[in-house]
Amino acid sequence: MSPVRQLPFLTRTFAFWLIATVQTLLLFASSAPSPLYPVYQADWGFSATMLTAVFAVYALALLAALLVVGGISDHVGRRTVFGASLAVEVVSMVLFITADGVGPLLAARVVQGLATGAATGAASSALLDLQPRPRLGALVNSLVPLIGLALGALGSGFLVEYAPAPKTLVYVLLLIVFVVAALVVPLLPETSPRSPGAIASLVPHLGVPRRVRPLFLTVAPCLFAVWAVGGLYMSLGPSIAVRTLHLSGHLIGGLVIFALTGAGAVGSLLRRDRPPRRTMTLGFVAFLVGIGTTLGALAVPSPALFFVGIVIAGYGFGTGFLGAFQTIAPLAAPDERAGVVASVYVVGYLGFSVPAVVAGLCVQKFGLDATTTVYSVAVMVLAVAACAGLLVQDRPGKREPDAAPHSSPPGARLPGHRTTSAD
């Protein structure tokens, strides 16, 4: 009887970069609808509240997926969860392509959120498992959302402005990409062998080990705040550019998001090898300065000053998130990683979704300018609270270590990892 032929697994380094690329494309797809919101609103005639709801249902669905299946890849394998997530993402692209009203659009966003949320825990944990060198996994995990959101908004805005079929072309292209990616998933090496507890892991909980909780709770308010700003500008950014700054064109909304998230990506690259705690604290301070600058620009109003503020805030967003991820994620043992990663993203996507819906409701009653001002002040207060907490923890005798005893060195085998010829 001939032996069973095994699939030719990709090398761990190649798999690392492939997963990072696909995860970036998932976030690209999540921001692709943002420049299209004014088009949808004009064609289907819905309010600013419904516009933010269309945006927020994605983030809430993503959050639900993180809470329920965010840690399941620790038990059933990263590859299984990642492949299933891509299949669901393909369904969401079909729903976008065929959407003919706000109801189908909401359905597409919900399915997309479920797919992205399920993929986030598995992909982010796989990047930590497969990282070719220390801290690279945390760096890439912090860059992926920023680069994906930036390129998605800019690319979609460009297609809406200059290409035919603005409501479908970007989704057709993404559909093809995700089908190909799903077919490649079986070739990825598995880094999390099957283990008991898969059903129990579906019960929503925040998987933060006790030793990490004090730092996590200190950082959480600012993580919430920086993602809340992302939610504001991804949902209402095009409206702010047109109504408050008197700019025009579908590409402008994409440029606002690109400036915020692109600056975050650049900041993460510049600070990638610096001490994580200092990176996190300085990032939160830059975020405060940037939001304060945008407030001044909206009061004038000054488009140039607004974009300066957005770039500074984006730099703070990226470096603050990078520093937080580099500080918190390595403190988890390998079998705790998916739960900790999911918890970080739960805080972020709560900030990404809930405040945006509240803003949409407030716009109807108080107007766009007043809502943007109060919203910005509120996130600044949260950032100040987090910075104060970090300064207290950084006093002599209170500082947490920057690295965890559980961090795996390059080439280390995870518990239960089966060596393949590709290793």
Side-chain angles (χ1 to χ4, degrees):
M1 191 174 179
S2 60
V4 177
R5 235 180 126 183
Q6 294 190 358
L7 290 171
F9 291 125
L10 301 171
T11 64
R12 291 169 69 86
T13 300
F14 186 84
F16 174 89
W17 291 112
L18 181 62
I19 291 170
T21 300
V22 175
Q23 185 72 347
T24 301
L25 289 168
L26 285 167
L27 274 296
F28 181 109
S30 76
S31 68
S34 290
L36 278 163
Y37 287 148
V39 178
Y40 293 137
Q41 197 172 17
D43 287 356
W44 300 332
F46 53 82
S47 66
T49 301
M50 181 56 68
L51 188 154
T52 55
V54 169
F55 165 78
V57 291
Y58 158 81
L60 291 173
L62 189 153
L63 176 58
L66 275 174
L67 285 171
V68 176
V69 299
I72 199 171
S73 72
D74 287 337
H75 305 279
V76 303
R78 316 289 191 217
R79 195 168 56 197
T80 300
V81 177
F82 197 47
S85 302
L86 287 173
V88 177
E89 183 73 10
V90 167
V91 174
S92 76
M93 293 300 103
V94 174
L95 291 174
F96 276 117
I97 292 168
T98 58
D100 58 0
V102 69
L105 182 61
L106 285 166
R109 287 295 272 171
V110 168
V111 175
Q112 184 182 44
L114 294 173
T116 309
T120 295
S124 299
S125 300
L127 291 175
L128 293 173
D129 297 340
L130 294 166
Q131 59 184 347
R133 61 179 185 273
R135 291 190 181 178
L136 183 61
L139 171 65
V140 172
N141 270 317
S142 68
L143 283 173
V144 158
L146 298 170
I147 294 175
L149 293 172
L151 294 180
L154 187 65
S156 178
F158 182 86
L159 291 176
V160 172
E161 190 72 33
Y162 300 111
K167 288 191 291 187
T168 57
L169 180 59
V170 65
Y171 304 123
V172 171
L173 296 175
L174 287 168
L175 173 65
I176 295 169
V177 168
F178 290 131
V179 168
V180 172
L183 294 175
V184 175
V185 166
L187 303 180
L188 297 173
E190 181 56 78
T191 60
S192 181
R194 291 181 179 271
S195 63
I199 300 299
S201 74
L202 297 177
V203 178
H205 69 287
L206 292 179
V208 181
R210 187 178 298 275
R211 65 184 178 281
V212 186
R213 287 176 193 171
L215 178 60
F216 183 87
L217 293 175
T218 300
V219 173
C222 207
L223 286 176
F224 185 95
V226 296
W227 280 91
V229 168
L232 174 69
Y233 286 107
M234 286 191 67
S235 58
L236 294 175
S239 299
I240 293 171
V242 172
R243 297 184 196 175
T244 305
L245 300 173
H246 310 298
L247 301 172
S248 61
H250 297 300
L251 189 56
I252 290 297
L255 284 172
V256 171
I257 299 166
F258 179 80
L260 180 74
T261 53
V266 171
S268 295
L269 284 171
L270 293 176
R271 296 287 308 183
R272 64 188 181 277
D273 295 324
R274 303 298 179 87
R277 291 290 289 266
R278 185 169 177 80
T279 294
M280 177 171 54
T281 305
L282 292 177
F284 293 163
V285 171
F287 173 77
L288 280 168
V289 173
I291 295 301
T293 303
T294 61
L295 279 175
L298 292 173
V300 175
S302 169
L305 186 60
F306 175 79
F307 274 96
V308 169
I310 283 290
V311 168
I312 296 172
Y315 177 89
F317 179 5
T319 54
F321 184 58
L322 168 66
F325 207 105
Q326 284 183 330
T327 301
I328 294 171
L331 296 175
D335 61 350
E336 299 168 334
R337 281 177 181 161
V340 171
V341 167
S343 298
V344 170
Y345 280 108
V346 162
V347 173
Y349 280 102
L350 272 175
F352 205 47
S353 57
V354 176
V357 175
V358 174
L361 293 170
C362 292
V363 166
Q364 295 294 105
K365 187 171 184 180
F366 303 108
L368 184 61
D369 291 353
T371 299
T372 304
T373 299
V374 173
Y375 193 109
S376 300
V377 170
V379 298
M380 289 175 71
V381 170
L382 286 175
V384 168
C387 289
L390 285 170
L391 290 173
V392 170
Q393 284 207 356
D394 281 340
R395 288 186 305 174
K398 287 184 174 284
R399 190 168 183 261
E400 297 284 343
D402 278 339
H406 297 292
S407 299
S408 301
R413 296 289 182 263
L414 299 175
H417 173 72
R418 289 190 288 276
T419 304
T420 71
S421 60
D423 288 343

